[in-house]
Amino acid sequence: MRRVDHGLRFKGLGMFEFPRHPSRRDLRLFGLLLGLFLPLVGWMVMRRMQVEPPWLVLGAVSATAMGLAVLAPNSLRLVHWIWHAATYPIGSLVSKNLLAVVYWGVVTPIACVLRLRGRDSLGRQFDRQAASYWTRHERPADVARYFRPF
């Protein structure tokens, strides 16, 4: 029986899923991407250190990862888990910090400027003369309009 569980491993820590039981397809894709990614990162690190990259080692690692991905994807389960365990906290922190920067750096200043200018987009001003705050909604004549919202 195939177990696939894409639930969060650590609830409440982030927006990314931590797959506890990845499918064979997920492991195969992970292995193929790992086979492409590791030599590229190795080449970048060696270039940064101004050292000639060991092409034979990088090629062997790439071929091994891709071969395991095609022939025996379940053998990559531990590597997959370690990879996700290492990157999950990083992704969680980066996503929360990025959301905070966008909220406090973009949304909040726009809201402050609009408030200082006196704009009330939601119509929240209190009106003592109004009998009701109900606004009438006119139905469109053509129902096909719902399929063209813009």
Side-chain angles (χ1 to χ4, degrees):
M1 181 175 192
R2 187 176 119 184
R3 276 179 72 180
V4 177
D5 182 12
H6 293 289
L8 289 174
R9 172 86 169 154
F10 306 109
K11 295 189 184 296
L13 285 181
M15 299 185 320
F16 302 107
E17 291 184 2
F18 191 99
R20 288 183 282 178
H21 307 288
S23 66
R24 286 179 58 89
R25 181 177 178 264
D26 291 340
L27 290 171
R28 184 171 288 128
L29 181 63
F30 172 74
L32 292 173
L33 290 175
L34 190 67
L36 294 174
F37 180 71
L38 283 180
L40 179 66
V41 169
W43 175 74
M44 288 172 57
V45 167
M46 295 293 181
R47 185 172 172 227
R48 180 95 169 149
M49 294 171 49
Q50 297 178 350
V51 177
E52 183 64 31
W55 293 110
L56 187 61
V57 173
L58 294 177
V61 169
S62 176
T64 303
M66 289 182 158
L68 286 174
V70 172
L71 299 175
N74 282 333
S75 64
L76 294 172
R77 190 173 302 276
L78 179 63
V79 177
H80 183 266
W81 189 87
I82 291 170
W83 186 277
H84 278 280
T87 59
Y88 183 81
I90 297 167
S92 178
L93 288 173
V94 167
S95 67
K96 288 181 179 171
N97 289 336
L98 185 64
L99 285 173
V101 166
V102 169
Y103 181 77
W104 293 107
V106 177
V107 176
T108 302
I110 291 172
C112 289
V113 168
L114 291 177
R115 181 170 279 200
L116 288 173
R117 291 182 57 206
R119 182 166 178 186
D120 184 23
S121 300
L122 297 177
R124 297 181 313 161
Q125 295 284 333
F126 185 71
D127 185 11
R128 293 186 186 269
Q129 277 74 31
S132 171
Y133 287 102
W134 183 263
T135 55
R136 300 216 37 94
H137 174 69
E138 301 298 327
R139 291 184 177 213
D142 185 18
V143 179
R145 162 77 172 89
Y146 289 113
F147 295 106
R148 297 183 315 270
F150 303 106

